[in-house]
Amino acid sequence: MAAWKGSSVLITGGNRGLGLEMVRQFLESPNPPDQVFAGCRDPEGPRAKCLKDLSEKHSERLFIVQLDITDPVSIKEAAKQVESKLNNRGLNLLINNAAINLHRTLDETDSDDMMRCYKTNVVGPMLMAKEFLPCLKMAAQSSDLQGMCCRKAAVINLSTLVASIEKCPETFGMAPMYPYRTSKAALNMLTQCLSEDFRKEEILCNAIHPGWVKTDMGGKEAPLDVVDSVGGVFQVLSALTEKNAGQCLDWEGKIIPW
Ligand SMILES: NC(=O)c1ccc[n+]([C@@H]2O[C@H](COP(=O)([O-])OP(=O)(O)OC[C@H]3O[C@@H](n4cnc5c(N)ncnc54)[C@H](OP(=O)(O)O)[C@@H]3O)[C@@H](O)[C@H]2O)c1
């Protein structure tokens, strides 16, 4: 079990699915982070109910932050709000989890579908990395840990096996979803670019495939539940070092080819 004590983490889309389970597992780990920021599009809406219940139980360390990753103003406001709570220690871990999937074949896909997916799944994580960079740099500079790791400073992007270009001949038939696949492949490139760019600041950047998981997005047929997926993802995160910089790994630690 990873020791997150002394760290701060931010998860986008923290109100349901994998994001909510990440928030829960961080808070309920034996060595929880000092601060868990859960991004949520509509904190007062019905879809934030479980997150709100969690925040009543963990009011001293869970902070719900209004955050729509398709809205640059919302991202800037969230960055200001989070920074004001960090006490000059910086943000150690940013998890770009929020995303959408449109189940569209080529026939069904139009330009709006492509742009919606691209805006949420690529532009959102890019703006998040850009706006939170000062907080991540502060965390890297104020840490006394050697090398790169998620406890020090990292950006983790939730990707997917179906974004792998090399694996496309194997995976296309079961999931011919154009907007999702292409946007997540672009997210993989974003991960590589950020990894190269942020290396000098000792900020680690990786893409993670959580497996095929029972959530609103993954559906009921998925073989994995959120508890096992997030448990695996956290083990992988806690073992990442500079040797892994820029890689895409799955929830069991296996490298996914681009
Ligand atoms: N489930 C799987 O099998 C699977 C497999 C591979 C990869 N992944 C990846 O894992 C991540 C989480 O997936 P999931 O299955 O948990 O999805 P999910 O159940 O559909 O939940 C998606 C989350 O993203 C949030 N979100 C969507 N658009 C947003 C926006 N514009 N601003 C802020 N939040 C937004 C949603 O918030 P609202 O409630 O406000 O809509 C929700 O909290 C995604 O990146 C997904 O691509 C999932």
Side-chain angles (χ1 to χ4, degrees):
M1 181 63 72
W4 301 101
K5 198 172 182 317
S7 69
S8 55
V9 303
L10 165 59
I11 304 108
T12 65
N15 61 302
R16 60 187 170 97
L18 287 158
L20 177 66
E21 181 60 19
M22 285 188 225
V23 171
R24 196 190 65 73
Q25 288 200 23
F26 272 129
L27 292 167
E28 295 181 359
S29 80
N31 292 294
D34 291 0
Q35 292 170 307
V36 177
F37 297 95
C40 177
R41 236 194 306 212
D42 181 13
E44 299 313 319
R47 283 205 295 230
K49 165 96 177 61
C50 296
L51 185 59
K52 287 257 220 196
D53 290 348
L54 260 184
S55 81
E56 274 167 30
K57 206 168 142 199
H58 299 278
S59 56
E60 75 295 352
R61 63 178 92 231
L62 173 57
F63 304 92
I64 300 175
V65 181
Q66 195 287 324
L67 181 57
D68 180 342
I69 61 159
T70 61
D71 177 1
V73 176
S74 167
I75 295 177
K76 274 189 196 293
E77 281 303 314
K80 270 194 226 155
Q81 206 187 320
V82 170
E83 192 186 352
S84 72
K85 290 194 161 42
L86 288 169
N87 307 321
N88 293 326
R89 292 215 322 262
L91 179 71
N92 300 103
L93 178 58
L94 164 61
I95 303 185
N96 280 316
N97 162 75
I100 55 169
N101 182 5
L102 304 176
H103 290 259
R104 305 268 201 278
T105 62
L106 183 59
D107 265 0
E108 295 156 352
T109 302
D110 63 20
S111 64
D112 280 353
D113 297 331
M114 292 296 285
M115 296 314 284
R116 267 182 65 207
C117 261
Y118 203 83
K119 194 169 178 184
T120 309
N121 299 353
V122 191
V123 182
M126 185 279 292
L127 290 175
M128 286 295 297
K130 186 172 160 178
E131 295 299 336
F132 282 88
L133 180 57
C135 296
L136 291 160
K137 273 188 193 172
M138 192 182 290
Q141 283 159 11
S142 60
S143 171
D144 45 23
L145 295 170
Q146 295 302 307
M148 289 155 84
C149 63
C150 289
R151 279 276 290 101
K152 181 172 176 176
V155 178
I156 300 298
N157 294 327
L158 268 284
S159 186
T160 166
L161 177 69
V162 303
S164 167
I165 293 171
E166 191 177 315
K167 293 265 180 198
C168 191
E170 283 167 52
T171 62
F172 184 76
M174 62 163 192
M177 10 168 113
Y178 277 74
Y180 185 65
R181 280 174 175 271
T182 53
S183 63
K184 289 286 187 176
L187 178 72
N188 286 349
M189 176 53 101
L190 175 73
T191 308
Q192 280 277 0
C193 295
L194 294 175
S195 175
E196 291 307 318
D197 217 3
F198 293 1
R199 194 185 292 268
K200 58 187 177 307
E201 321 282 359
E202 299 202 314
I203 300 169
L204 192 60
C205 300
N206 283 95
I208 298 280
H209 165 57
W212 181 18
V213 193
K214 285 184 192 70
T215 61
D216 293 338
M217 187 187 289
K220 292 189 177 68
E221 305 295 299
L224 262 178
D225 65 31
V226 287
V227 176
D228 292 338
S229 165
V230 171
V233 167
F234 279 13
Q235 276 197 14
V236 173
L237 297 190
S238 60
L240 293 178
T241 69
E242 55 276 5
K243 289 191 194 117
N244 304 104
Q247 290 174 346
C248 182
L249 299 142
D250 75 5
W251 67 289
E252 293 177 303
K254 291 197 282 291
I255 293 180
I256 298 196
W258 300 122

